[in-house]
Amino acid sequence: MRCNKGTVAMLLLGGLLGCASAPLPPKELISARKSYERARASAAAELAPADLHDAREALERAERVFADEHEINEARDLAYVADRRAQLAEALGRMAAAERQRGAALQAYGELQLALRRKRAPPADPVEPVEPPAQQPTPAARARAPGGERPMVITKGR
């Protein structure tokens, strides 16, 4: 059986047009996919799983709308929401990781301070020398107070 060149060209052209008719995903959907993958590979998978789950659901919804209905505008809107949720999950994961590091640093700092206090603390047994109590100045010493002024004493009956 022989094929003529015109038939082959028509088949090739039909195949190319068939492939070209499928719309490309909007850039918002592509961005949402990348953001979700970045969040999934970050600390969010362990430290913010609920937020990562929300992002995945939003992305799946955007993918469904784009694939089933070819509603480009609605798919863009949903993809934008999915992108933001993925970014939020990633940020919350980073924040939780930083909080965990902060807690560990504070604990290490407290342990170090305690060790330093124990090292510097004097033993409890030795008797420390006791300083004599400070003596109150005598009235004569008060009279010779700076400025050469003497306190005025008022007595009754004189």
Side-chain angles (χ1 to χ4, degrees):
M1 188 160 143
R2 267 183 92 168
C3 293
N4 105 21
K5 291 182 183 180
T7 307
V8 171
M10 290 300 273
L11 288 174
L12 284 175
L13 185 59
L16 289 174
L17 288 175
C19 292
S21 66
L24 295 175
K27 65 180 180 179
E28 291 85 0
L29 189 57
I30 294 169
S31 177
R33 290 173 185 163
K34 289 178 183 177
S35 292
Y36 176 75
E37 286 304 317
R38 218 177 20 254
R40 196 170 63 107
S42 73
E46 179 188 348
L47 302 174
D51 297 299
L52 188 61
H53 179 74
D54 290 344
R56 188 185 82 223
E57 286 181 345
L59 179 60
E60 287 173 353
R61 185 168 177 219
E63 295 277 8
R64 268 193 316 271
V65 167
F66 176 71
D68 295 344
E69 302 169 16
H70 297 293
E71 288 290 328
I72 300 297
N73 289 333
E74 186 177 355
R76 279 186 180 143
D77 293 344
L78 293 172
Y80 177 82
V81 170
D83 190 19
R84 295 301 176 248
R85 286 190 179 176
Q87 290 173 0
L88 176 64
E90 185 179 4
L92 290 173
R94 281 194 313 261
M95 189 172 74
E99 190 64 33
R100 187 181 276 183
Q101 287 177 343
R102 179 181 174 269
L106 286 174
Q107 183 177 0
Y109 177 75
E111 290 170 0
L112 180 63
Q113 290 296 319
L114 183 62
L116 287 174
R117 274 191 231 120
R118 285 182 183 158
K119 186 177 178 181
R120 290 183 190 160
D125 294 337
V127 178
E128 295 181 16
V130 179
E131 294 182 23
Q135 295 182 356
Q136 296 292 329
T138 62
R142 275 189 247 137
R144 291 184 300 247
E149 297 180 14
R150 294 183 61 184
M152 185 165 81
V153 180
I154 301 175
T155 58
K156 286 186 177 182
R158 288 196 188 189

